[in-house]
Amino acid sequence: MMSERHHLHPVAVVIQAMITIRQFIIPLGFWAVIQLRNTGIDAVFWLLLGSIVILLLTFAWEYVYWKRYTYRIEHGEFRIEHGVVYKKRRYIPLERIQSVDYVEGILHRLFGVVKVRVETAGGAGPEAELQAVTREEAEQLRNVLTVTRTVTDPGEHDVDPDQAEDKTQNVRRWRLKTGELMILGLTSGSLGVIFPIIGGAFSFLAEFFPVESLFAFIGRYIHVEATFQFISFALVVTFVVALASSIVTNALKFGKFSLTRSGDHLLLERGLLERRRSTIPIRRIQAVRLEEGILRQPIDRVTVRVVSAGYGGEGDNDPDTSTVIFPLLKKKEVMLFLREFLPELTVEEIGFTKVPRRSWRRFVTVKVVLATLISVPLSYFFYPWGLLALLLVPLAVLYGHLCYRDEGWYLAGEDLVLRSRFLTRTTTIVTRRRIQSSTVKQSPFQRPSKLATFQVAIIGWLGRNVNVRHIDQRDASQLLEWASHRRPSRKQADH
């Protein structure tokens, strides 16, 4: 009975202790290396003794925490009580719970348990996490938390009458193919992050190993041409390592990815080592984002995300409040995919009204000025190699032109489509009834050219808005007028 007090699975002690130790192992490792370097082998005994003491204290603390952690369902609330020094109680009304997700790490799978994440309306992250419960208990908990609740949020019944027909009875499933998973890793933006990590690791190793002596040896016995070949080989190896790391990282994150629509929910499963199972209620989805990275545009590949109220993010520390519902999709399959999984947010055809030609200089000028302010000092202080920085100016012109070319908007009945570019070209589809507010902004630099920026706010996208820049001011007024005349909800029509 879920009304009785339940404890987590005992393996939660081990898992939570390892999480705690992992947070301190890197700084402790740095400290240990420094101590060994300064004091030599004499510090080994005390380092081992200290490590054992810290390990025992951590497990003791987590055991007491586990004993005092209980959860139950009582009086229409999901109740959690925990705390070692301070006793904490958290009561979550069942009607506010939007989804119950599962996460299976390596230890979870080894012991046949899962981590349960409870998401509520309006929350930026999980409202509660149960570190380890059995799969059977997790399924029972999920059924009780999601099936017995009643929906009370305003706007959740605001279904367009034209879309009221039932399109979601059949279960549909798409899986990410192995070939697409490889392309995902090869074109991932994480490549740019991995290079600095490799450079930082090399700098750290240089503090403890005689790297300078190695270079001196190479310079003494190998002629210049061979040295150039060695450096080229090192760069190629670095690139291959970065590429392999990107492929492995994405394979671990999105391996065995599947998307299923069952009734009024989307079910996502992904991960090789750590399996994640997430549930997104369709009624909470506010917008769809189609993202085309620089490396993916030439091969016509798109990442599909959704912005959801009170739900989102790809992990515990993910600042983004959108969720990937399919990591890589052929561009020609996007409309078919949306019609199958999200007919409520699907437009029959996407055609764009581009920004006027006079807006070109608005996109280019600022970027060229910034590139000039950066490149001129670099050219002066680091002459002659600094002259290479002047290449930033034509690159800024090219980047500004791409932003100008990709900016646009499109109205399709009750749906608004906005497209813009930062580095990634992003297309956002939002239904009129999901727009929280709309704004037209016009700067002093835009007024002479009769240009303006149109912006909409979407619930669930914390701290961010969707906009289209430097459009004709008459188009901006038209979009503002369209967004302000919303079709009344079913509840309002009944009154």
Side-chain angles (χ1 to χ4, degrees), residues 82 111 333-334 369 404 410 419 428-429 467:
H82 62 96
F111 290 96
E333 296 176 344
V334 169
V369 170
Y404 158 78
Y410 177 63
R419 188 174 70 184
T428 304
I429 305 173
N467 59 45

Side-chain angles (χ1 to χ4, degrees), residues 205-222:
L205 292 175
E207 294 292 328
F208 301 97
F209 298 97
V211 179
E212 295 85 356
S213 302
L214 176 62
F215 285 150
F217 173 81
I218 294 174
R220 189 180 303 118
Y221 294 100
I222 303 179

Side-chain angles (χ1 to χ4, degrees), residues 109 175-176 181 251 254-258 269-272 275:
R109 298 165 75 175
R175 300 183 185 275
L176 184 65
L181 185 61
F254 293 110
K256 296 184 178 179
F257 185 98
S258 69
E269 294 189 47
R270 64 176 176 85
L272 292 181
R275 292 290 294 169

Side-chain angles (χ1 to χ4, degrees), residues 302-445:
V302 177
T303 297
V304 184
R305 288 178 174 264
V306 295
V307 180
S308 180
Y311 184 89
E314 298 304 316
D316 298 337
N317 299 316
D318 189 358
D320 197 355
T321 53
S322 63
T323 303
V324 173
I325 62 169
F326 214 82
L328 198 67
L329 194 65
K330 292 181 181 178
K331 197 172 180 180
K332 63 182 180 181
E333 296 176 344
V334 169
M335 289 297 104
L336 172 63
F337 174 85
L338 293 178
R339 281 194 294 268
E340 190 163 345
F341 288 94
L342 291 171
E344 301 86 353
L345 280 164
T346 301
V347 295
E348 291 301 323
E349 182 181 358
I350 298 180
F352 283 97
T353 300
K354 294 186 177 182
V355 296
R357 290 185 179 181
R358 63 182 183 276
S359 67
W360 184 87
R361 60 193 180 109
R362 302 295 332 142
F363 285 95
V364 174
T365 302
V366 174
K367 297 172 180 61
V368 170
V369 170
L370 289 176
T372 303
L373 292 176
I374 294 172
S375 60
V376 170
L378 290 176
S379 301
Y380 178 78
F381 289 107
F382 299 97
Y383 183 86
W385 291 105
L387 292 174
L388 292 174
L390 294 176
L391 293 174
L392 291 174
V393 177
L395 289 176
V397 175
L398 175 61
Y399 174 53
H401 176 74
L402 291 176
C403 292
Y404 158 78
R405 186 193 66 182
D406 291 333
E407 202 83 6
W409 59 275
Y410 177 63
L411 279 180
E414 291 296 302
D415 299 312
L416 172 65
V417 184
L418 300 178
R419 188 174 70 184
S420 61
R421 172 190 290 276
F422 179 61
L423 291 178
T424 298
R425 183 167 64 192
T426 303
T427 304
T428 304
I429 305 173
V430 58
T431 301
R432 174 156 52 179
R433 68 179 183 278
R434 295 301 190 187
I435 295 175
Q436 301 302 303
S437 65
S438 52
T439 308
V440 171
K441 299 188 293 185
Q442 192 173 43
S443 71
F445 300 101

Side-chain angles (χ1 to χ4, degrees), residues 13 16-18 20-21 24 28 48-66 84:
V13 177
Q16 193 60 45
M18 293 187 66
T20 303
I21 293 171
F24 297 101
L28 286 176
L48 290 175
L49 181 61
S51 300
I52 293 172
V53 171
I54 292 174
L55 197 63
L56 292 176
L57 289 175
T58 301
F59 273 92
W61 177 276
E62 296 301 341
Y63 175 77
V64 176
Y65 185 85
W66 170 78
V84 177

